[in-house]
Amino acid sequence: MKSAVETLNPTRVRLTVEVPFEELKDSLDAAYKKINQQVTVKGFRKGKIPARVIDQRFGRGAVLEEAVNDALPKFYTAAVNEAELNVLGQPEVDITELKDGETLNFTAEVDVRPAIEIPDYTGIEVEVDAVEVTDEDVEKSVEQLRNRFASTNPVERAAAEGDVVTIDLEAKVDGEVLPDGVASDVSYTIGSGELLDGIDEAVTGLEAGGEATFTSQLKGGSAEGKDAEVTVKVTQVSAREVPELDDEFAQLASEFDTLEDLKADSRKRLENMKQYDQATQAQERVLEKLLELVEVPIPEKLLEDEINTRKHNLEHHQLGQMGLTLEKYLEFQGKTVEEFDAETKEAAVKGIKTQFVLDELVNKEKLNVNQEELTEHLMRRAASSGMSPDQFAQAVVEGGQVPMLVGEVARGKALAVVVEAAKVTDTNGNEVDLSDEDEEEIAEAVVEAAEGASDEDEAK
């Protein structure tokens, strides 16, 4: 076999392959054997039909076609390996010449990873938000905890904002009660904005047994988008009572004996959260700077496939689980189809570029992934997918996705190397130390977000 490579553009090549006919012998033998098992000829036992009889009865062309179909993948792979190509996706194969007993010639056009030069990245500088936790932040956190321990008790007075009312609803459109327009014993907190527009004004001031009618545009159901006449009847008014902020509350809501200890713990938790957010912000901004330094040609077919994958996952997994269509999603987002397509393409380009650049860094820095790192990554991915580690691992193995997970970990390590070399300062001018044991974990999460990783869907 002889092969040659022609570079069509930075991301696509054409392989020209010439195969002497004698190298097709194994595939021809396999073709005769396969046809032998599929046909019957009077006078011959199944599987014992001579090759000349098969040629006469079924045509030499059928045998050649079967042999070539068997041989092409082998010779294509051999040509790719010989040329040391890093191919992407499936090739477009064209048989240019097939002479029985003489030769098989074919071409194969395929996308390849572009050659990338990683420049010096040690001069990258980024600024991130400072970690600042105010007294107001702490008070807000404690107040949220306090609200979680609130109780409700029925009261005999008019409903006011913050009260929990039990209501019956009836919606009419054009004077007709909707089939799905009646609901009873609905619990609603006035001011939460969780039901129909206008309901807060309607129930405020009503006592148990009172009712009111208002007009509201329906957000779902059989008459979605239409204006309905809604009658609401209050059957009970309950007041929310929150516990006093004192040591007794601290003992009720936490493992601490005093309110001051509870507040100190809340401050520490908020600081940890903001430090994590700061590290994530640093990783994201360093990645952006790195991508700006590198020119990366994007294979057209790969980009098209990535865009289609992102759209498919959004429509059939994320939105499908929420009962939304793409049209309704865009309506909620206030976006046109053109804007959505442009954003999807931009994200796909960034995802491909991120993968190419970080993979090149993995090779340049000679980074490896050990079993412990892979296991930790698999555990995190399982948790984010809603599957048990065993279920996720089985799905990943069965789907042939292990190399993909290894790549994710390796790219996270590559980004962590760049971040470690970068200068990161906060908005107060202080240098930020990101040498933390979670640095690579955060980097993996940032890389996954940039690539728009969809392997949970693939695993499922």
Side-chain angles (χ1 to χ4, degrees), residues 261-286:
D261 287 343
L262 172 60
K263 288 183 176 181
D265 181 69
S266 295
R267 184 179 293 275
K268 184 62 178 176
R269 289 175 185 271
L270 290 171
E271 287 175 350
N272 290 339
M273 289 171 58
K274 291 201 173 188
Q275 284 172 350
Y276 187 92
D277 291 342
Q278 184 188 65
T280 302
Q281 191 179 66
Q283 302 269 8
E284 291 171 344
R285 293 183 179 179
V286 168

Side-chain angles (χ1 to χ4, degrees), residues 35 39-41 49 53-63:
I35 294 173
V39 302
T40 57
V41 175
I49 308 170
V53 175
I54 290 177
D55 289 345
Q56 291 169 356
R57 290 292 185 92
F58 306 102
R60 174 71 167 176
V63 179

Side-chain angles (χ1 to χ4, degrees), residues 70-116:
D70 176 73
L72 275 178
K74 302 173 187 176
F75 290 116
Y76 165 73
T77 301
V80 166
N81 292 337
E82 183 178 288
E84 298 182 342
L85 298 175
N86 197 338
V87 298
L88 302 166
Q90 296 301 313
E92 296 179 6
V93 178
D94 181 27
I95 298 174
T96 55
E97 186 177 24
L98 176 58
K99 289 185 178 179
D100 194 359
E102 295 183 28
T103 186
L104 163 66
N105 298 336
F106 67 91
T107 62
E109 288 191 18
V110 66
D111 286 336
V112 293
R113 277 183 180 254
I116 298 174

Side-chain angles (χ1 to χ4, degrees), residues 378-434:
L378 187 146
M379 298 282 281
R380 290 194 296 271
R381 303 296 268 124
S384 66
S385 71
M387 303 169 71
S388 72
D390 288 344
Q391 289 174 324
F392 189 80
Q394 181 179 353
V396 165
V397 172
E398 291 176 353
Q401 303 294 319
V402 173
M404 179 189 63
L405 287 188
V406 172
E408 289 176 359
V409 178
R411 288 190 283 276
K413 295 180 73 171
L415 178 56
V417 168
V418 181
V419 173
E420 189 175 338
K423 182 179 179 181
V424 182
T425 55
D426 66 21
T427 49
N428 292 331
N430 300 315
E431 192 162 342
V432 177
D433 180 14
L434 295 173

Side-chain angles (χ1 to χ4, degrees), residues 221-239:
S222 60
E224 181 180 359
K226 293 185 178 180
D227 287 338
E229 183 183 81
V230 182
T231 299
V232 55
K233 180 178 181 180
V234 176
T235 59
Q236 181 174 281
V237 178
S238 297

